[in-house]
Amino acid sequence: MCRGMAHTCVHWFRKGLRLHDNPALMAALRDCKELYPVFILDPHLHNNTCVGINRWRFLVGALKDLDCSLRGLNSRLFVVRGKPEEVFPELFDRWKVTKLTYEYDTEPYSLSRDKTVATLAKEHGVEVIYKISHTLYDTERIIEENSGKAPLTYNRMQVIVKTLGPPKRPVPAPTIEDMQGAMTPCSENHEKKYGIPTLEELGQDAAALGEEQFPGGEQEALRRLDKHMKRTGWVCSFEKPQTSPNSLSPSTTVLSPYVTFGCLSARTFWWRLAEVYQGKKHSSPPVSLHGQLLWREFFYTASVGISNFNKMEGNPVCTQVDWDTNPEYLAAWREARTGFPFIDAIMTQLRQEGWIHHLARHAVACFLTRGDLWISWEEGQKVFEELLLDGDWALNAGNWQWLSASAFFHQYFRVYSPVAFGKKTDKNGDYIKKYLPLLKKFPAEYIYEPWKAPRSVQQAAGCIVGKDYPQPIAKHEVISKKNIQRMKLAYAKRSGDSAESANKSPVKRQGTKRKAPSVVDMLKKKDRRK
């Protein structure tokens, strides 16, 4: 395999925790004599206070699976602890590294971290190669095609990607033949020094965990993908809004955590769907499974093209709302103590399993923000980031802005009822009974509104509202109307501000226009697309 100078190479795994469709890993293997596959437990990203135990378990599972796959190629994974900017100079010297490869990451922290690491690599004479494979397209290219601005509607996004053509096809996983000449030095003490940590070592109490519904790892991701792709009729007729938020087993693929961690490549998912669709009548974006992958691309692109994307202040597309600060309400929502069984059941499932249906996310997000509690979407975003297995920075911020009617979606007068919405797909409240067993003896007519049950019914159910289960935190019919008026005022103020600034700014309510790229930038982009 060696053609030129033989490199000692580090491939830095971050989100792309897989061997399939990993062009940066394949770049590492070119002209390579020694390969060190590395994962860094970065304190900024892997902080015990902002990562929930389900997420930790998923990550550890993904790392074990990756290590197992690498060992099948006579290699292994080196797990290193510390800040990348402190860890890398030491590794460059210790292993005499000449090449560093990684998958491109669009998050603001990642971009600044990677810039620092690339500077350090240059100082150590290490060549840096990165490839785009976490998204379907190069998000910067989508922004260029849209006159230097992020598309702010899904329709506009569809127009742009149509001009770009289908995403690149995924690259195959490396084989033993690809590894010829690229050895991974392993010694006895490596296991102790670079082994995969246990949950206990990460400060987590594994005894507190329930059954693992969605085990982490590439092999599990591909197994689940295969299973779903065999359901050709279901795949072709899939329409996201028609799936149920409160079915007792997931009514969607639950492949999102695997795509978030990069155990499953979005491009592999896209092309497997394209194979199933071939020659058959099938649903279309935005509601189809291809449509879901384009939603992901839409929010990724928005997060790159819009400044302060995960905040209200300083975010040019986000309506500025006078949200209340109410720690008691926020805690009640987070801890499933709102007194609305549908909302509390969803928040219980989220904490226990790390996943909830997207329409369930709609219900609890609307309830926290513009529907009932009038608390900032930024607070909800933090809770989802901690508890969701698929808590993805760009999608989380984008969806919370959407659901709070702060950006992208503006029909603020359409409010989810914390009672009627769940009843549509689960009249008997079986979902509530599963996640809130305290309420399981309530008859169906009271399961969504137990406070309306006569005292005798509450006693027969073994649950007194106000004692064993909370009274509702708000009067939905009253507060939701009041909040619609508050939202109306925020929109009126926004319109006034827009009119005032119209003369100053030619790109009102758009993503910030980019400055023309320099020659250096253009060369970098050209290199990235290779």
Side-chain angles (χ1 to χ4, degrees), residues 128-158:
V128 174
I129 296 171
Y130 55 89
K131 301 284 181 183
I132 290 168
S133 53
H134 191 62
T135 47
L136 296 172
Y137 298 91
D138 178 350
T139 51
E140 291 279 0
R141 179 88 194 280
I142 294 170
I143 289 167
E144 280 170 25
E145 291 289 326
N146 196 45
S147 310
K149 301 186 291 286
L152 293 185
T153 66
Y154 189 85
N155 286 346
R156 183 64 191 151
M157 182 75 180
Q158 283 182 282

Side-chain angles (χ1 to χ4, degrees), residues 101-152:
T101 64
Y102 55 80
E103 180 183 73
Y104 188 66
D105 190 343
T106 54
E107 289 184 26
Y109 166 73
S110 308
L111 291 170
S112 101
R113 171 200 65 195
D114 294 351
K115 191 177 175 184
T116 304
V117 169
T119 304
L120 290 167
K122 192 177 177 185
E123 287 167 9
H124 284 76
V126 176
E127 179 190 1
V128 174
I129 296 171
Y130 55 89
K131 301 284 181 183
I132 290 168
S133 53
H134 191 62
T135 47
L136 296 172
Y137 298 91
D138 178 350
T139 51
E140 291 279 0
R141 179 88 194 280
I142 294 170
I143 289 167
E144 280 170 25
E145 291 289 326
N146 196 45
S147 310
K149 301 186 291 286
L152 293 185

Side-chain angles (χ1 to χ4, degrees), residues 371-411:
D372 295 76
L373 303 187
W374 201 255
I375 289 170
S376 171
W377 59 268
E378 288 181 50
E379 296 299 335
Q381 175 184 240
K382 285 176 205 161
V383 173
F384 272 25
E385 190 175 353
E386 177 197 346
L387 299 179
L388 276 174
L389 292 175
D390 58 9
D392 181 301
W393 188 87
L395 274 65
N396 199 18
N399 277 309
W400 272 100
Q401 286 172 78
W402 183 294
L403 293 166
S404 62
S406 296
F408 309 114
F409 172 81
H410 305 295
Q411 293 172 313

Side-chain angles (χ1 to χ4, degrees), residues 7 37 83 85 106 181 207 239 250 278-279 298 312 382 398 434 483:
H7 285 280
K83 295 178 181 172
E85 62 272 25
T106 54
E239 293 194 0
Q278 192 69 42
F298 172 75
M312 179 176 79
K382 285 176 205 161
K434 178 179 177 179
N483 288 346

Side-chain angles (χ1 to χ4, degrees), residues 31 151 234 308 416 437 489:
D31 305 324
W234 182 81
N308 299 304
Y416 288 90
L489 283 173

